[in-house]
Amino acid sequence: MDENQIPTKLEYYDDMFKLESTATLLSSFLSEDSRHVLIVDSTVFHPQGGGQPSDKGSISNSQFKFIVEDVRLKDKIVYHYGHFESSKDENVEKGAQVSLSVDEARRMLNSRLHSAGHLLDICVRNVGWNHLEPGKGYHFQDGPFVEYKGVVPQNELHSKKTELELEASNLISKGGKVSISIVPYDKASELCGGSLPDYIPKHSEDCSVR
């Protein structure tokens, strides 16, 4: 892989509902753990991050079909991990035009689970637990959760659990629009009550806020 490769254009920043696109294939190689990797100049695939699992789908043209099983972002470059449907397709041509297609059902579920984590944050504040600081968020399908830092009196746990459920149901029944903004760290911290989880680097230029 070319170490001087240009950053991948992240098309999901412009339109989170865009699930198909075309791109130019920049490189194809085997990773250190022997997985096939494709890098393109722009992508609609959302990488794993922020507690949310990556998209899955396919990258293809008339010569090959690559099944995308995992997506990661490192040093502003998106790595699409997966396998070719046929072993004879592995020698793909650099510079080829390819079509990208994201698994819509998986993306929508991942987005809903992630948004549910932010909804929980609102509910926690609304029931009077303003002192709790959100930590790790896990928005995977096998058991999503959000961890909080702080102390809760034992005698409040049962009643507050009921209050949280009622508050969540109330907010959901009212409906509302989920929007995402890309802002600097300081602005994101301000919008999120003055603090962000520890896993977000303080020098981050681009933080997504729902």
Side-chain angles (χ1 to χ4, degrees), residues 142-159:
D142 61 346
F145 63 84
V146 179
E147 292 181 348
Y148 290 88
K149 297 178 182 178
V151 178
V152 175
Q154 189 69 28
N155 61 356
E156 287 188 14
L157 289 178
H158 181 72
S159 62

Side-chain angles (χ1 to χ4, degrees), residues 48-67:
Q48 180 172 315
Q52 179 172 316
S54 76
D55 285 332
K56 292 186 178 182
S58 65
I59 298 175
S60 63
N61 63 14
S62 60
Q63 305 300 315
F64 73 90
K65 184 172 184 179
F66 182 80
I67 306 302

Side-chain angles (χ1 to χ4, degrees), residues 74-137:
K74 181 180 179 182
D75 298 329
K76 299 185 178 182
I77 296 175
V78 176
Y79 298 77
H80 304 80
Y81 295 87
H83 68 273
F84 291 93
E85 274 200 332
S86 173
S87 58
K88 66 181 181 180
D89 296 336
E90 294 178 6
N91 295 319
V92 296
E93 179 183 354
K94 181 179 179 180
Q97 295 301 296
V98 294
S99 297
L100 285 65
S101 179
V102 172
D103 181 329
E104 180 177 4
R106 178 181 172 86
R107 164 71 72 80
M108 293 301 104
L109 180 55
N110 287 345
S111 295
R112 290 176 67 185
L113 291 173
H114 196 148
S115 294
H118 291 283
L119 178 67
L120 178 61
D121 284 340
I122 296 171
C123 293
V124 166
R125 292 196 297 271
N126 287 355
V127 302
W129 277 350
N130 303 59
H131 66 289
L132 295 183
E133 180 183 336
K136 177 182 178 181

